[in-house]
Amino acid sequence: MPLGGLISSVQDLLGWARFHLGSVAGSPDDPAAPLTRASLNAMQAPLASAGCFADRVGIAWMLRDVAGRRLVGHGGLTTGYATAFTLVPDAGVGIVVLTNAQDANLVAGGIRQRLLELLYDQPGEIEGQLALARDEATRQRAQ
């Protein structure tokens, strides 16, 4: 994730997702795990309202409910780079998007949203939302 100077790759972050989803040795469901499932569940418990980035926040996690599905995530953003890291615990799915596109946060969020639409066989609504956001960003840059 670019924020905070952490350098990582998609492979690193997918490994982190597998750890949190309990699908690798040393994961929270492993008795020898460095973090227990109870600890990770506590980190993902809602502690406060969050505002525009999430419905609620846990310990280092942004928590959202989308179409009745719990999403746990965190992203990073700096000029020209964005990361979207999202877990869908009930489906055992992790989504990692790294981008260096112009309007990187918009691109990363759009890719994540489209993957969720495909995962849950939902209509593709993100394209229209992205077009509106792109037009607004273009208008703001022109000003």
Side-chain angles (χ1 to χ4, degrees):
M1 297 176 174
L3 193 60
L6 180 64
I7 298 172
S8 191
S9 67
V10 170
Q11 290 81 15
D12 293 339
L13 293 173
L14 286 173
W16 185 236
R18 284 190 296 274
F19 170 82
H20 279 275
L21 294 169
S23 61
V24 295
S27 290
D29 296 327
D30 181 338
L35 288 173
T36 65
R37 175 62 56 197
S39 294
L40 290 179
N41 287 343
M43 292 170 67
Q44 295 176 15
L47 298 174
S49 295
C52 64
F53 293 110
D55 300 329
R56 298 165 314 282
V57 293
I59 299 173
W61 291 113
M62 303 297 174
L63 310 171
R64 295 180 64 205
D65 290 317
V66 175
R69 293 170 183 94
R70 183 172 66 103
L71 304 181
V72 177
H74 198 96
L77 176 66
T78 191
T79 305
Y81 300 93
T83 299
F85 178 93
T86 305
L87 300 173
V88 188
D90 298 334
V93 170
I95 299 171
V96 174
V97 181
L98 305 177
T99 183
N100 63 347
Q102 185 172 355
D103 296 320
N105 208 30
L106 182 63
V107 172
I111 291 169
R112 177 189 56 223
Q113 181 61 34
R114 185 62 187 132
L115 288 171
L116 289 167
E117 290 171 351
L118 291 168
L119 176 66
Y120 289 109
D121 198 28
Q122 299 294 310
E125 297 176 3
I126 193 63
E127 288 91 355
Q129 295 168 4
L130 288 174
L132 290 173
R134 183 196 61 232
D135 293 346
E136 177 61 19
T138 300
R139 185 189 65 75
Q140 287 178 0
R141 277 193 295 275
Q143 288 180 341

